[in-house]
């Protein structure tokens, strides 16, 4: 039945949205058997596996979606998250970088890229990427970036900068210095 894959996919999405990850995996597997190679099904199956804590199983599906070259940032971010969940910080950083640079406007992508670099002890490059995230986030104060920048400055023993970035992270004005 041509519409049965859609029913299974929709059921999987409902389970996924309600945190019932094993049920979502089962539904997406059924949908994928009925419509092999569908990027939305493959992506959703990878996300459901990741959310189930089965990152090793999720990575091949999420890689497959990225390799389809749909040029969707979330495809990269999902794959990066799966690698991060496995503690593979350098690989996650590489993937988040590709996603962040895809459209060049997403400060969150730069933040996650920087965070993966930070977690892999690549502090100098993380600092540079966080600076880019701050510049790209013109609308608001990116508090997470400010916290990591404060930590980097702390490691460098530049205490005035630490205080400045902590204040920025709290959303306070510099008059509190």
């Amino acid at each position: 039945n041509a519409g049965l894959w859609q029913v299974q996919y929709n059921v999987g999405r409902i389970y996924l949205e309600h945190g019932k990850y094993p049920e979502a995996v089962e539904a997406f597997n059924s949908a994928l058997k009925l419509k092999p190679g569908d990027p939305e099904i493959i992506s959703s199956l990878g996300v459901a596996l990741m959310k189930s804590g089965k990152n090793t199983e999720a990575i091949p599906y999420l890689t497959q979606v990225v390799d389809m070259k749909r040029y969707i940032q979330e495809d990269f971010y999902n794959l990066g998250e799966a690698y991060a969940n496995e503690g593979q910080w350098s690989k996650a950083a590489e993937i988040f970088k590709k996603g962040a640079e895809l459209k060049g406007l997403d400060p969150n992508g730069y933040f996650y890229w920087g965070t993966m670099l930070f977690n892999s002890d690549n502090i100098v490059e993380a600092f540079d990427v966080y600076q880019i995230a701050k510049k790209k986030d013109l609308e608001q104060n990116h508090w997470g970036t400010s916290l990591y920048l404060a930590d980097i400055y702390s490691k460098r023993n530049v205490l005035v900068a630490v205080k400045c970035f902590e204040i920025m992270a709290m959303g306070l004005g510099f008059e509190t210095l």
Side-chain angles (χ1 to χ4, degrees), residues 30-148:
S30 295
L32 192 58
K33 286 177 186 167
L34 296 167
K35 191 173 182 189
D38 183 84
E40 290 301 321
I41 298 171
I42 296 168
S43 176
S44 296
L45 176 57
V47 169
L49 286 164
M50 178 180 60
K51 298 289 185 186
S52 296
K54 298 179 179 179
N55 297 292
T56 305
E57 292 177 45
I59 288 171
Y61 289 106
L62 298 171
T63 300
Q64 185 178 351
V65 172
V66 166
D67 290 345
M68 290 178 174
K69 299 187 183 340
R70 299 187 319 161
Y71 302 107
I72 298 174
Q73 286 175 314
E74 288 74 22
D75 291 346
F76 291 91
Y77 298 164
N78 289 331
L79 179 57
E81 183 178 344
Y83 278 115
N85 291 342
E86 289 293 299
Q88 296 185 42
W89 307 118
S90 296
K91 186 66 176 174
E94 174 188 323
I95 301 298
F96 275 109
K97 176 183 181 187
K98 289 178 184 177
E101 291 182 334
L102 194 60
K103 296 180 183 168
L105 300 173
D106 183 17
N108 290 323
Y110 284 86
F111 169 73
Y112 291 119
W113 171 20
T115 302
M116 298 307 113
L117 290 167
F118 184 89
N119 289 342
S120 66
D121 293 325
N122 191 342
I123 303 301
V124 172
E125 192 175 350
F127 178 80
D128 294 340
V129 173
Y130 285 135
Q131 294 289 45
I132 294 169
K134 294 284 301 166
K135 288 178 186 170
K136 293 199 172 289
D137 195 0
L138 301 175
E139 297 292 318
Q140 59 182 329
N141 177 11
H142 204 281
W143 65 269
T145 300
S146 296
L147 286 176
Y148 276 100

Side-chain angles (χ1 to χ4, degrees), residues 12-30:
R13 294 299 306 170
I14 291 168
Y15 280 135
L16 186 61
E17 291 170 14
H18 288 91
K20 297 184 180 282
Y21 305 124
E23 293 87 348
V25 168
E26 186 178 326
F28 292 135
N29 271 321
S30 295

